[in-house]
Amino acid sequence: MKIYDWHIAPNPRRLHIFLHEKQIEVSLEEVGQADLTLSPDFKERYPHAMVPMLELDDGTCIGEVMAICRFFEDLNPEPSLFGKNAKERALIAMWENRANEEGMLAASELFRNTHPAFADRGLPGAPAAIPQIPELQIRAKARLDRFFNKLNQQLETSQFLAGPRFSVADITALCAVDFAKWSKVEVPEDHPHLLRWYAEVRSRPSAKA
Amino acid sequence: MKIYDWHIAPNPRRLHIFLHEKQIEVSLEEVGQADLTLSPDFKERYPHAMVPMLELDDGTCIGEVMAICRFFEDLNPEPSLFGKNAKERALIAMWENRANEEGMLAASELFRNTHPAFADRGLPGAPAAIPQIPELQIRAKARLDRFFNKLNQQLETSQFLAGPRFSVADITALCAVDFAKWSKVEVPEDHPHLLRWYAEVRSRPSAKA
């Protein structure tokens, strides 16, 4: 099997951290280019044109980062990053989804609707031109404000995002917080619980994977 | 346990279909109101202010519809709607995520940025006012075009969205197609494979749950 990768991009980073935490090694092929586009060969092979993508030895293409992570969790259950019982799994899935929809997608919206290299790529994976919408900058910042508030509240009483153990919810939230920094949006100083968690998760060796 | 419900809304519908397919009965409490807002009592109990929400007997609140569905799949594995082996589960998770991010979120973006009742609620679950962005109408329609094209291509060679068996990916995609209709966006007639699938899944008894 092989992972098609764009090493600097936020969604591939979720997978790198996951694999490092699980101590799984998979061969990687870099398909990101210096001009911040994906290689034409990759887009031809995989018209969804998003990374990461896992190609199995039988040719099956598995996209969407959490689908890939779940595949590896099935093959290598320990250490569990999706939870060990029904309730734990549900809470991790809930916070992971929230970190994605309210964090990652907001940071992506902000970056893609402001960065000059994405002038006609306001959405990921688009085969056609999708112009930027400058008004989304304000909305995306409001989304990130809400996201930071939610995280700070949750982390006041919870060591990690979905409970006492590190999970995929923390991976997605960490990548979202760091992705927001690409657009110069930082965690506000009056969010002590979020900052405590952020210092903790970013100092794990996996955060540099 | 109890589900806080808004019976007409698209995300609760994903859960209704899922529970009907699994033949699981759970007591429901309606928290949607005639003015298309959620009841103040519910928002106080659950500040994320989104439906559906599953409250367990120990008071645990599980939000995010796929987290709730996974919880019930864990408790009642048959019939499986998330897949029976690692590869099947990954493909279902991939297509479900795609149906959500490229279908449901696009239909939601279109509806929330056009309907007068959502003038200051351009995003779900917002405690603060999020004004509509009319330009998102064009973008959301382009997103739905892409989504319909992807589905039509996939369904040319696949009976259901993620393979030969009905799964949560079909549930999310069906709800996305129907949600788009709220904004008068229909599957184009030159998408025969998507239309074949749509006729099939909407005629299942669960589609009326």
Side-chain angles (χ1 to χ4, degrees):
Chain A
M1 61 177 77
K2 179 162 72 165
I3 290 167
Y4 293 84
D5 187 31
W6 186 351
H7 211 88
I8 59 162
N11 280 315
R13 186 178 176 222
R14 289 158 78 183
L15 181 55
H16 300 151
I17 296 176
F18 180 86
L19 293 174
H20 190 282
E21 291 279 348
K22 308 272 286 185
Q23 302 278 302
I24 297 171
E25 289 196 18
V26 185
S27 73
L28 302 173
E29 180 174 327
E30 177 73 27
V31 293
Q33 303 182 133
D35 66 353
L36 299 183
T37 65
L38 293 163
S39 77
D41 282 357
F42 175 68
K43 288 190 280 191
E44 199 179 309
R45 173 187 294 265
Y46 186 67
H48 298 290
M50 292 200 234
V51 281
M53 190 272 274
L54 171 69
E55 193 179 65
L56 304 184
D57 294 339
D58 67 4
T60 303
C61 294
I62 301 173
E64 308 299 320
V65 59
M66 277 300 122
I68 300 172
C69 291
R70 284 187 182 280
F71 180 78
F72 285 113
E73 176 97 352
D74 268 343
L75 298 189
N76 303 273
E78 298 291 338
S80 166
L81 292 174
F82 281 95
K84 287 173 174 284
N85 59 60
K87 185 169 135 182
E88 193 179 280
R89 278 192 285 274
L91 290 171
I92 289 170
M94 171 179 83
W95 279 109
E96 196 289 320
N97 198 62
R98 214 169 257 165
N100 181 49
E101 289 193 17
E102 305 183 28
M104 282 297 291
L105 296 185
S108 174
E109 184 168 270
L110 179 56
F111 180 72
R112 283 190 168 263
N113 288 282
T114 50
H115 194 283
F118 291 81
D120 61 350
R121 294 188 290 153
L123 285 173
I130 301 279
Q132 290 178 327
I133 298 178
E135 273 178 281
L136 282 174
Q137 294 176 39
I138 296 165
R139 180 186 287 193
K141 284 181 182 169
R143 288 174 80 179
L144 288 168
D145 269 355
R146 268 167 60 186
F147 177 61
F148 293 153
N149 285 336
K150 278 194 186 187
L151 261 50
N152 191 55
Q153 275 173 31
Q154 168 67 3
L155 292 162
E156 181 172 0
T157 55
S158 187
Q159 187 187 353
F160 292 105
L161 194 50
R165 294 197 311 119
F166 183 84
S167 76
V168 286
D170 298 290
I171 294 176
T172 298
L174 171 64
C175 292
V177 168
D178 281 340
F179 193 9
K181 290 166 87 172
W182 290 22
S183 304
K184 306 198 192 321
V185 172
E186 305 253 1
V187 175
E189 286 184 15
D190 60 355
H191 287 48
H193 313 299
L194 174 50
L195 289 169
R196 182 267 307 159
W197 164 92
Y198 182 53
E200 208 167 307
V201 294
R202 73 189 299 218
S203 70
R204 294 171 81 92
S206 62
K208 288 166 202 69
Chain B
M1 62 176 76
K2 181 163 68 165
I3 290 168
Y4 293 84
D5 188 31
W6 186 352
H7 211 85
I8 59 163
N11 280 315
R13 186 178 176 223
R14 290 158 76 183
L15 181 55
H16 300 150
I17 296 175
F18 180 87
L19 292 174
H20 189 283
E21 292 280 346
K22 307 271 289 185
Q23 302 278 302
I24 297 171
E25 288 197 16
V26 185
S27 73
L28 301 173
E29 180 174 327
E30 177 71 28
V31 293
Q33 303 182 131
D35 66 353
L36 298 183
T37 65
L38 293 163
S39 79
D41 281 357
F42 175 68
K43 287 189 280 192
E44 199 178 308
R45 173 186 295 265
Y46 185 66
H48 298 289
M50 292 201 234
V51 280
M53 189 274 276
L54 171 68
E55 192 179 67
L56 304 184
D57 294 339
D58 67 5
T60 302
C61 292
I62 301 173
E64 308 298 321
V65 59
M66 277 300 123
I68 300 172
C69 291
R70 285 188 181 277
F71 181 77
F72 286 114
E73 177 98 351
D74 267 342
L75 298 188
N76 303 270
E78 297 293 336
S80 166
L81 293 174
F82 281 95
K84 287 173 175 285
N85 58 59
K87 185 169 136 182
E88 193 179 280
R89 277 192 285 274
L91 290 170
I92 290 170
M94 171 180 82
W95 278 107
E96 197 288 322
N97 198 62
R98 216 168 253 167
N100 181 50
E101 288 193 16
E102 303 183 29
M104 283 297 291
L105 296 185
S108 173
E109 183 168 89
L110 180 56
F111 180 72
R112 284 193 167 260
N113 288 282
T114 50
H115 194 285
F118 291 81
D120 61 351
R121 292 187 291 151
L123 285 173
I130 300 279
Q132 290 177 326
I133 299 178
E135 271 179 283
L136 282 174
Q137 293 175 41
I138 297 166
R139 180 187 287 192
K141 284 180 182 170
R143 287 175 79 178
L144 287 168
D145 269 356
R146 267 167 60 186
F147 177 61
F148 293 153
N149 285 337
K150 278 195 186 188
L151 261 51
N152 191 55
Q153 276 173 32
Q154 167 68 2
L155 292 161
E156 182 172 0
T157 56
S158 187
Q159 187 187 354
F160 293 104
L161 194 50
R165 295 197 312 116
F166 182 85
S167 76
V168 287
D170 298 291
I171 294 176
T172 298
L174 171 64
C175 292
V177 169
D178 282 339
F179 192 11
K181 290 167 87 173
W182 290 22
S183 305
K184 306 200 191 321
V185 172
E186 305 252 1
V187 175
E189 286 183 14
D190 61 354
H191 287 48
H193 315 297
L194 174 51
L195 289 168
R196 183 268 305 158
W197 166 90
Y198 182 53
E200 208 167 306
V201 294
R202 73 191 297 221
S203 70
R204 295 171 79 94
S206 61
K208 287 166 202 71

